[in-house]
Amino acid sequence: TDSWERDYSLPLSEMTDLENYHFGQMDKRMDAADAIPGLDTIWRVGHDKGVNPFTGEWMAGFHEPPNDNLGFTEVVAGILRPYNEGWGRAVPAEKMKLVELWNEPSLESWTGTAPQFAELQIELRATLDRDFDSDGDGRADDLLMLTPVAPGFFGDFTVDFLDTLQLNYDPLDP
């Protein structure tokens, strides 16, 4: 397709089909990281580096909220699967343990609202907990989600983000 836009509203069968993923570049990076003993890889999920190599402009859909949060989180799980479960390749010696959702979304890399970002965070955490829980405790095993949010720089983004998380907080499922 000629479009750089991302559509996450595809059927689940499309997102869970290994043939729809192309891991060549990421495989090389993960294999290089795997060659360094004890190295933990941080995978930044999000499109803060989505600049069109031909124009230098932001690519459509690369720093905007996904058009379907669940679809987006299914794609994230699909990308993690090869590096944590061996989906289509050998599992690296060190599984991917650190997942960062965007980077400082209160800056220019996220054009959505703080509540939209919090809702995406909640949906991603739920997807990872569902898909990467092998011991049955309801939590993703050996997988930590990072969300760097800079307080005080741009309006009330951080406060609104934390307020939305608090409204959706369930002490029985933190």
Side-chain angles (χ1 to χ4, degrees):
T1 178
D2 292 335
S3 173
W4 288 98
E5 291 188 34
R6 303 297 182 241
D7 183 8
Y8 298 102
S9 61
L10 299 170
L12 184 59
S13 60
E14 292 278 323
M15 294 182 202
T16 57
D17 183 354
L18 179 61
E19 295 300 315
N20 290 329
Y21 292 84
H22 304 283
F23 295 109
Q25 186 180 42
M26 195 159 174
D27 281 349
K28 289 177 186 174
R29 291 178 178 168
M30 289 301 294
D31 290 342
D34 202 36
I36 303 170
L39 179 70
D40 284 335
T41 301
I42 297 175
W43 178 43
R44 181 180 295 160
V45 178
H47 309 305
D48 62 316
K49 302 295 183 199
V51 176
N52 185 319
F54 305 108
T55 67
E57 301 292 322
W58 285 102
M59 290 190 270
F62 270 80
H63 65 305
E64 301 161 0
N67 65 339
D68 183 293
N69 281 356
L70 180 58
F72 177 85
T73 65
E74 291 295 337
V75 169
V76 170
I79 293 169
L80 276 172
R81 212 164 271 121
Y83 307 106
N84 286 31
E85 296 179 346
W87 190 44
R89 66 169 273 151
V91 178
E94 293 292 329
K95 293 181 179 184
M96 198 175 297
K97 299 175 190 168
L98 305 169
V99 177
E100 178 184 46
L101 182 58
W102 251 260
N103 179 41
E104 297 180 325
S106 56
L107 305 178
E108 67 180 20
S109 67
W110 173 264
T111 61
T113 65
Q116 286 175 311
F117 185 72
E119 290 162 8
L120 182 59
Q121 164 104 11
I122 291 164
E123 189 73 48
L124 181 56
R125 178 82 260 166
T127 298
L128 296 178
D129 286 343
R130 182 193 70 229
D131 289 3
F132 295 96
D133 172 26
S134 62
D135 62 11
D137 67 356
R139 311 309 276 149
D141 302 324
D142 300 320
L143 197 55
L144 179 64
M145 214 167 113
L146 311 169
T147 304
V149 178
F153 293 112
F154 297 91
D156 295 326
F157 187 96
T158 302
V159 172
D160 293 345
F161 169 72
L162 294 173
D163 284 349
T164 304
L165 290 181
Q166 184 66 35
L167 286 172
N168 291 281
Y169 178 73
D170 177 358
L172 299 177
D173 185 20

